[in-house]
Amino acid sequence: MIGVYDYTVVLTYLSLASAMSGIFISLSGSGHPYLGAFCLLMCGLFDAFDGKVARTKANRSEREIKFGIQIDSLSDVIAFGVLPACIGVAVLRTSPLLKCWITDNSHWIGGVLEVVLYAVVIVYALAALIRLAFFNVTEEERQKTEGGVRKVYTGMPVTTAALIVPSLLVFYYLFQKLWAIDLSLLFFAAMLISAYLFLCKWQFPKAGLRGILIMVGIGVAEFLALIVALIVLN
């Protein structure tokens, strides 16, 4: 079979499997954005260590290295581009406020709002795709001149979605359950801001091992917060 199937790409393949699971869950029935967020957190965990695991194999061929770069970005498009977009669709379907506005056929603003929010979701996914394609091109150029591990990124890495989206959902759920305040529009505003940051020319430092561990710790806290919110508040 074509492709690479050794341990260097296992975490990338697991990230894709988790992303697809989250997409199915988010789009099933009335949508389950919170369960989709659990899958997104798992994608973030797998992505945090896939590069380090791959670099432990000292005798990787040039083709294996290039394959690893390509497959990682292709997986990231689905995990951190498509999955958050599907979670956004699930938020749109389950938000009491948005459902009320959109299903109210007596007012034209509901239909316009629905189109705008779907457009935001599409723009987000497109921005993630462009960001990753740009990364692939520049990384290939950098490998020819510099080599080694990249220290900075141009534009915010799409993998930050693994921390941003669950955090937004925790606040969204808490405000909705405790104070009956619907923050769904804030979620879509954050998606639009993220799309801009993916494509901006700002420099973002690449996290080292300490930074990765801190982000993993934040992810674990978000995981527990979602569990508490879904089980205790329900």
Side-chain angles (χ1 to χ4, degrees):
M1 294 189 296
I2 63 172
V4 176
Y5 301 96
D6 58 24
Y7 75 91
T8 62
V9 290
V10 167
L11 291 181
T12 301
Y13 293 161
L14 287 175
S15 177
L16 176 64
S18 180
M20 292 303 298
S21 300
I23 291 170
F24 297 150
I25 292 169
S26 298
L27 298 182
S28 64
S30 59
H32 303 276
Y34 309 107
L35 297 180
F38 285 116
C39 294
L40 180 58
L41 284 168
M42 292 305 299
C43 292
L45 179 63
F46 294 136
D47 183 79
F49 297 102
D50 61 356
K52 293 188 178 300
V53 170
R55 286 190 289 273
T56 60
K57 187 177 181 182
N59 60 341
R60 281 194 302 164
S61 67
E62 184 177 351
R63 174 173 290 184
E64 287 176 324
I65 293 174
K66 289 184 177 180
F67 181 88
I69 293 172
Q70 294 296 329
I71 202 69
D72 182 61
S73 287
L74 290 170
S75 174
D76 287 352
V77 169
I78 299 173
F80 307 110
V82 178
L83 175 54
C86 291
I87 291 173
V89 172
V91 169
L92 192 156
R93 290 179 177 177
T94 57
S95 163
L97 176 64
L98 297 180
K99 285 171 66 177
C100 178
W101 283 357
I102 291 171
T103 57
D104 183 6
N105 296 323
S106 64
H107 208 295
W108 60 269
I109 195 171
V112 173
L113 179 63
E114 184 177 19
V115 171
V116 169
L117 295 183
Y118 273 115
V120 169
V121 168
I122 293 171
V123 167
Y124 173 89
L126 179 60
L129 174 67
I130 295 171
R131 167 72 181 80
L132 288 164
F134 179 81
F135 170 81
N136 280 8
V137 172
T138 55
E139 179 63 16
E140 188 172 338
E141 294 172 349
R142 191 192 66 81
Q143 288 288 345
K144 292 178 181 178
T145 57
E146 299 177 17
V149 180
R150 178 185 289 267
K151 291 187 170 66
V152 296
Y153 294 110
T154 300
M156 185 175 73
V158 298
T159 52
T160 54
L163 296 179
I164 294 173
V165 172
S167 295
L168 290 171
L169 287 177
V170 168
F171 284 107
Y172 169 60
Y173 193 83
L174 289 176
F175 273 76
Q176 189 179 78
K177 286 293 182 180
L178 296 179
W179 300 289
I181 300 175
D182 193 322
L183 297 178
S184 51
L185 291 179
L186 179 62
F187 180 90
F188 289 96
M191 291 192 76
L192 203 56
I193 293 171
S194 295
Y196 167 75
L197 292 177
F198 290 158
L199 302 180
C200 72
K201 293 185 177 181
W202 297 351
Q203 298 292 306
F204 291 80
K206 179 180 174 65
L209 180 59
R210 181 180 178 183
I212 290 174
L213 293 177
I214 291 174
M215 287 188 288
V216 169
I218 294 173
V220 171
E222 290 176 338
F223 187 89
L224 295 174
L226 279 171
I227 292 177
V228 170
L230 292 175
I231 296 177
V232 175
L233 292 183
N234 266 340

